[in-house]
Amino acid sequence: MPIAQVTFDKRAVVIDGKRKILYCGSYHYPKIHYEHWPHALDLAKNCGLNCLEVYIFWNVHEKTRGKYHFEREGNIFRFLQLAHERGLKVILRMGPYICAETSYGGFPYWLREIPGIEFRTYNEPFMQEMKRWLTDINGMLKELKLYHQQGGPIILVQIENEYDIVSSIYGAAGQKYLHWCYELYKELDPGVPLIMCKSSEGASEWVTSKEDKYFRVASIDESIETINDFYGHTRIDSLKALKPHQPLLWTEFWIGWYNIWRGAHRLRPTDDVIYAAARFIAQGGAGMNYYMFHGGTHFGNLAMYGQTTGYDFDAPVNSYGRPTEKYERLKQLNHCLSNLEYILLSQDEPEMEKWSPHVSVFRWIDKKSGDECSFVCNDQRIEAHVTIAGKAVCLQSLSVKIYLNHEEIFDSSQNIYSNPQSNYRQLDHVYKEWRTMQIPVPNKEKKGKQQYIEFEFPFIPDMLHITQDQTDYVWYTGMGSIRCPFKGEDRPKCLKMHMNLEAADYIHVFLNQKYVGSCNSPCYDERFTGRRSGFSKSFDLEDFAPMHIALDKNGVYTFEIAILVCSLGLVKGEFQLWENGRMEQERKGIFSVPNLSFQLLSSTGKVETVYAAFDSKWSSVPLHISKESSPNISFPLTNHPQVGPQLWQTTVHLKENDVQEMKYGLLLDLKCMSKGLLYWNNFCLGRYWIVNYIEKDASLSRSPIVEDHNTFYSQQYYFVPKAIISDTNDFCIFEELCGDPTKIQLLTIQ
């Protein structure tokens, strides 16, 4: 029996001696509840996929250094075995940097605490940890015989990810690091080819500086370089010129886009997706990966900075596991192309004719059978009229028609499916009595048992050093004062307060233990580009009701300020930081003395603005709210909680029939809430934030992504997987401000 092997030639990946076109879908296994994996993979097979693309999430598997987690959502080996059982091959993107809109781009938090470490460059501490991790995971994959030559599903591996985006930061050391990655690949010896992907965000092939000249690349000569883009066919000519010996693989075909807090929901029209897929295969594409094929949910601590908890990505299978219209259209295309594979793989390149500046025909012929298939492509945004086999034909804008032996068999612009909308039904349920516990705002006079860290500006403790990323929350407290400019006044009226400070990511402000306001900053991916404010916060404390302030005998008003800083996840890549920033430099917390002004009104009608002075000594303390499991506390009953952080708990009783008939799970309609964390039966469903989008995202203006401005909130509905639902359920909420959970609606997905 011949040895199983994977190779490649200039046309395709070759599996056991046979060329194969790969129809892939990206799955992020931790973002799908592990009990839902079989159903999720069945959908891939049914849609005509023959391969999956899978990242390995180091941040899931080694949350604590030296302690591996491969159970439940971390059991990647089970996920790969389930794929293998369904005849699905796997492209394994080992990382360790994966991006994936996950916190720290897949790096575990503790990596940044290693002395002298620099991520993603030729740095001994980093390479030592990377080698240890990849050696260990590679050994486990081999032990379970998951590589193709062992009879397993893995046919290609990737080390690193989209390095061209950051190569200008790391320069020659980065290129040396990429070659080290290749040497590590050879040492791991997975027995399958290595790929490295290139993103469309790489602006140019060459970057020149006075000191150095280096290639802005994603890969090295020995690897297969692949495409990440909206339109793969636009990159074919340059990739063939660079690496004519390799097949054309499109490892990230962005068929949608992710959502961010304070952004509108992002969509990609289905017709445009179908056009891009057919157009790539027409010109000789050897494999494409729908990114994402299955949406998901950022449970627990999975979400990157600014990323919503829902990871729908406008995918063919949405974040709840429900197929969409896009799924049905791609299913038709995938099966059509699979039936033509014997023709498409019989030649290295198609015959190409230009019928007009924007209309091209790519013709493939199987010499054995004489069968011919043609792709007639209209690459302009208006209709084109042509004659095919003596018939006048209208080509819709950005469309592809496929012909087999001169008979039309597929039209990318023809939708034969009705749009299956997700219908929701409100569920009859019974809440047991809601219980709540007010979490006190820190008071310098009554610090309690918690260990406060004392500091003076500018020596500010790094929030991440304090929390170890175990919680999103840290309190910063200090004492301040203002001197009244009005003589003879003892109770001037304060009309407004305004604050400026440097902080990350979101803050709530309390004065003398009373809530007075929150920042209102957008969550841009690249928050330091253009006119974006980076870490700067400047806002009116609008929730501070005009009030009279009491002065002491010297005309001074003294107050205690407490700032609750809320992390929204760690960055996924260097580009989310300042220019030339590196991932190990990620920071959270406050970075400067707050600038706080009071607008005062005298009894005679005079208005003055005065600025607060702060004591040099401040303190900080974490607010221990876990991103893993619900708080283990006994809840006292509070009927009228104050505005500020609080925990809520109840028991949700569901009808037995409702649970049994449930196909996907529940949705929580949280429009009555504010911001915080959700727990269902001790499982952390992730962050919630009921916040509306504030403006259109100009960064996507040249892409095929459109924003849905019919929705008001960035995310209103939050997913509870069926696997964690029972007749009687414990429901716990950490609410940062003033939500009313008694009004939460439970919905089922039809």
Side-chain angles (χ1 to χ4, degrees), residues 243-447:
K243 292 194 172 184
H245 62 285
Q246 68 157 65
L248 300 168
L249 299 179
W250 189 3
T251 42
E252 286 189 23
F253 171 7
W254 300 323
I255 62 176
W257 207 245
Y258 56 86
N259 297 318
I260 58 174
W261 301 118
R262 292 201 176 280
H265 186 54
R266 290 142 164 196
L267 306 166
R268 183 172 181 183
T270 300
D271 282 355
D272 190 65
V273 170
I274 304 301
Y275 157 75
R279 183 65 177 78
F280 181 70
I281 297 299
Q283 197 170 333
M288 55 187 176
N289 171 58
Y290 305 122
Y291 191 101
M292 292 290 295
F293 182 78
H294 193 303
T297 303
H298 288 112
F299 301 119
N301 195 28
L302 275 174
M304 73 168 186
Y305 161 73
Q307 166 70 58
T308 57
T309 297
Y311 192 61
D312 183 76
F313 219 91
D314 195 27
V317 181
N318 68 20
S319 55
Y320 317 136
R322 187 181 190 276
T324 65
E325 177 207 343
K326 195 173 284 186
Y327 176 93
E328 298 297 340
R329 299 277 303 280
L330 284 174
K331 178 180 177 180
Q332 181 192 23
L333 174 63
N334 293 337
H335 286 290
C336 173
L337 294 175
S338 295
N339 291 334
L340 298 174
E341 190 166 310
Y342 73 100
I343 305 176
L344 296 173
L345 292 177
S346 65
Q347 297 174 246
D348 288 343
E349 293 183 350
E351 299 175 8
M352 195 271 277
E353 296 179 13
K354 275 285 199 182
W355 286 4
S356 74
H358 299 289
V359 176
S360 303
V361 179
F362 298 91
R363 184 174 291 107
W364 298 82
I365 302 172
D366 177 35
K367 292 182 179 179
K368 289 183 179 180
S369 65
D371 289 340
E372 173 185 324
C373 68
S374 299
F375 296 75
V376 183
C377 308
N378 180 16
D379 296 329
Q380 61 187 347
R381 297 186 180 277
I382 58 174
E383 292 179 354
H385 296 272
V386 297
T387 301
I388 301 175
K391 296 180 181 179
V393 175
C394 175
L395 302 175
Q396 297 299 317
S397 65
L398 295 181
S399 67
V400 177
K401 286 182 180 286
I402 303 176
Y403 290 81
L404 176 61
N405 297 328
H406 310 294
E407 293 291 329
E408 181 182 321
I409 60 172
F410 182 83
D411 182 351
S412 70
S413 64
Q414 184 178 5
N415 182 11
I416 63 174
Y417 298 97
S418 60
N419 187 9
Q421 299 290 336
S422 290
N423 298 317
Y424 308 139
R425 175 174 65 86
Q426 188 168 339
L427 199 64
D428 293 331
H429 61 281
V430 177
Y431 286 134
K432 192 179 178 181
E433 185 177 38
W434 279 98
R435 305 180 72 83
T436 184
M437 186 183 79
Q438 188 79 43
I439 296 176
V441 178
N443 185 323
K444 291 181 73 70
E445 303 302 322
K446 299 177 181 179
K447 290 187 176 180

Side-chain angles (χ1 to χ4, degrees), residues 512-526:
N512 295 331
Q513 287 74 57
K514 301 293 184 183
Y515 172 74
V516 291
S518 304
C519 66
N520 196 33
S521 304
C523 297
Y524 299 114
D525 277 1
E526 300 178 35

Side-chain angles (χ1 to χ4, degrees), residues 29-30 57-63 68-69 73-74 102 106 108 302:
Y29 56 93
F57 285 71
W58 191 7
N59 57 345
V60 168
H61 299 299
E62 196 177 3
K63 296 177 182 179
Y68 288 153
H69 168 65
E73 79 287 349
T102 190
L302 275 174

